[in-house]
Amino acid sequence: MPVVKDLIRVEKDGSISFGNYELPEKAKLSDFEYKGDLYKVKTYREITKLERNGMFVYESVPGTAVHNFTVSGSRITFDVEGSEDAQITIQMEEDREYEVFVNDISTGSERTNLSGKLVISVEMDREQPISIRIEERE
């Protein structure tokens, strides 16, 4: 999967893709409308960050390209690629437990803190994107 050259886009399936870890300098795009919300993306080789209506959604260090990012209820799915292993932070509900799947293999459950941030580390595969699924545990 190639990086997202236009920084953020809507895919045919209704998901969004964003981020370009190949950029040597920061690039950003604001006021991207998607399903009635305004998104802002900042990205380059050191960081990729997504905000919705001014609120934090996603951040990776170093930068990544995210494909087919979908939020449905208490579940988030996306594919991610990058040139180096990455630490990814995602905004979820506060003080809840989530199970994280990397390439359909559970890495265990994580509990968000009072700010609702969930942090995962991903070992990148230089050949293909990594599939991430995060589901709230009942």
Side-chain angles (χ1 to χ4, degrees):
M1 289 183 156
V3 296
V4 184
K5 298 289 185 190
D6 41 3
L7 303 187
I8 187 169
R9 68 175 178 245
V10 178
E11 301 295 347
K12 290 179 183 176
D13 66 0
S15 64
I16 59 173
S17 295
F18 59 92
N20 185 339
Y21 60 88
E22 294 178 339
L23 295 173
E25 296 188 16
K26 290 180 191 177
K28 67 180 177 177
L29 179 68
S30 298
D31 299 328
F32 181 86
E33 190 170 346
Y34 172 69
K35 294 187 176 181
D37 293 311
L38 292 177
Y39 285 78
K40 177 179 183 179
V41 64
K42 299 178 197 175
T43 187
Y44 75 122
R45 70 175 165 235
E46 293 184 24
I47 191 169
T48 294
K49 187 171 185 176
L50 181 70
E51 296 176 358
R52 180 181 63 241
N53 300 326
M55 303 295 288
F56 176 85
V57 174
Y58 173 100
E59 180 179 273
S60 70
V61 178
T64 54
V66 177
H67 304 278
N68 304 103
F69 187 88
T70 304
V71 178
S72 59
S74 58
R75 179 181 188 173
I76 292 179
T77 60
F78 59 94
D79 294 330
V80 63
E81 66 175 307
S83 60
E84 302 176 44
D85 295 347
Q87 178 175 300
I88 298 172
T89 305
I90 304 223
Q91 183 65 47
M92 304 297 285
E93 295 293 323
E94 64 186 45
D95 196 31
R96 301 253 172 97
E97 192 167 338
Y98 293 90
E99 188 153 3
V100 178
F101 296 86
V102 176
N103 289 334
D104 291 322
I105 298 171
S106 175
T107 63
S109 63
E110 301 284 333
R111 180 168 284 282
T112 57
N113 57 24
L114 293 178
S115 68
K117 293 198 174 31
L118 182 74
V119 179
I120 57 176
S121 294
V122 178
E123 293 181 20
M124 293 297 172
D125 179 339
R126 309 298 183 251
E127 303 300 317
Q128 60 187 5
I130 304 297
S131 174
I132 305 290
R133 185 173 81 237
I134 302 168
E135 297 179 346
E136 184 175 0
R137 294 191 64 174
E138 303 273 330

